[in-house]
Structure formats: C-alpha cells, structure tokens
Amino acid sequence: MNLFLQEIPASELAPKAVQETPAPGKDPLIARGLQKEQYAGIIGLAIALIAAVGFFSRRVEYAIAFALIISIFLIALFLFV
C-alpha cells in the first residue's frame, strides 16, 4: 500500500499575528437597537395566539389572558420591590 504523506511546515501551523478580542459593546454578532421591534413582535404574536385560541374556546382565552396579566403584575412587583 503506497500512501502519499505530505509534511506541513511548522511555520504554516503557527499564527502569524496575535488577534485581540473586540472591545465590549462593539461585538458585531449582537444586534443592538432592535429591542423595541422585538418586543412589539412578541406582543403581537402573543395577541395573535390568544385570539386564535379564543376562536376555538373562550374559557381557554380567558385563562391565558388572566395568567398573562397575573404574570406581568408579579414580574413588576418583584422587579420594583
């Protein structure tokens, strides 16, 4: 069995320069300034979900709406107390 083996020079394996990590707050992978649109989309999706469930069952719609209101109240209570 004849296998061709190629040797890689050590200089190609070693990095040529040291790269610094970007400063905090300048990460290109984090989308900044989209929070308002995201919250609007989430609220719109929640309203659409409650409306879709309410189309089939009013009791379930009222239960979801009640749980959502209680959750918002408890979150606000724990954040500000």
Side-chain angles (χ1 to χ4, degrees):
M1 183 180 247
N2 190 3
L3 296 176
F4 179 73
L5 298 175
Q6 180 181 2
E7 289 187 25
I8 300 173
S11 64
E12 290 181 14
L13 293 176
K16 306 254 186 232
V18 177
Q19 295 180 352
E20 294 184 13
T21 57
K26 295 185 179 182
D27 192 357
L29 297 177
I30 298 175
R32 303 221 183 260
L34 293 178
Q35 286 84 8
K36 293 178 184 176
E37 291 86 358
Q38 290 172 347
Y39 288 137
I42 291 170
I43 290 170
L45 186 63
I47 290 171
L49 178 67
I50 291 172
V53 170
F55 179 72
F56 296 108
S57 172
R58 286 282 174 206
R59 284 186 183 174
V60 177
E61 178 185 10
Y62 292 149
I64 291 173
F66 180 72
L68 185 63
I69 292 169
I70 293 297
S71 298
I72 290 171
F73 174 74
L74 288 175
I75 289 170
L77 179 72
F78 290 130
L79 281 178
F80 297 116
V81 172

